[in-house]
Amino acid sequence: SSDLPRVRLERGLARLERSARRAERRETVGRVLTAAARIAPLALVLVAPPLAYAKVHPGHGAERWVLVAGIVGLALLVGRGVWAGLRRSAPLAGAIELDAFHATGGRIANALAFSRIPAGERSALMELAIEDALASVEKLEPARAVRVPVPRELPIVALLVVGLVGLSLVEVRTLRALPPKAAPKPMLL
């Protein structure tokens, strides 16, 4: 029965840790979406000129340039998103966001920071801070604490996508002079 408080403490800390990680993931997703949305207009504009040229001058290898521009644009988009996603967050960033949203005065971040210190090295005040955080924070809401933002570039990106789709659907008619039909050879009698 002496292990019961320790088990309860570990479960409570695991709950705080899970919620803080969820908040950090939501923050990372928001950062990736924002970074990708900022580079998306450039990626889409990069595809437009080769596509327009391919529509006006079909053949001549223009379709290959559309493919190259599309690959470069996609590489820019994915590269920028990955770069933003790999950027390190501040230590305990999710816990700090949860503290700010739930107005807990730093209890969550302090409890998680103190929990990373081995139990034998913690002071009595650290143990009390952990217990206080677990007692005062019952329900955590990472989804409400860290909103995934809708990028402000979204209308521009949507407009460019619609324009690019429209451009891809356009068919430019070209007049070609057809050689006259060859007259049939006279029949020999």
Side-chain angles (χ1 to χ4, degrees), residues 47 66-76:
V47 175
V66 175
L67 181 64
V68 168
I71 290 171
V72 169
L74 185 63
L76 281 172

Side-chain angles (χ1 to χ4, degrees), residues 20-35:
R21 278 196 311 264
R22 234 176 302 160
E24 285 178 22
R25 279 193 302 270
R26 292 181 64 81
E27 192 175 281
T28 301
V29 167
R31 205 171 45 239
V32 167
L33 286 176
T34 300

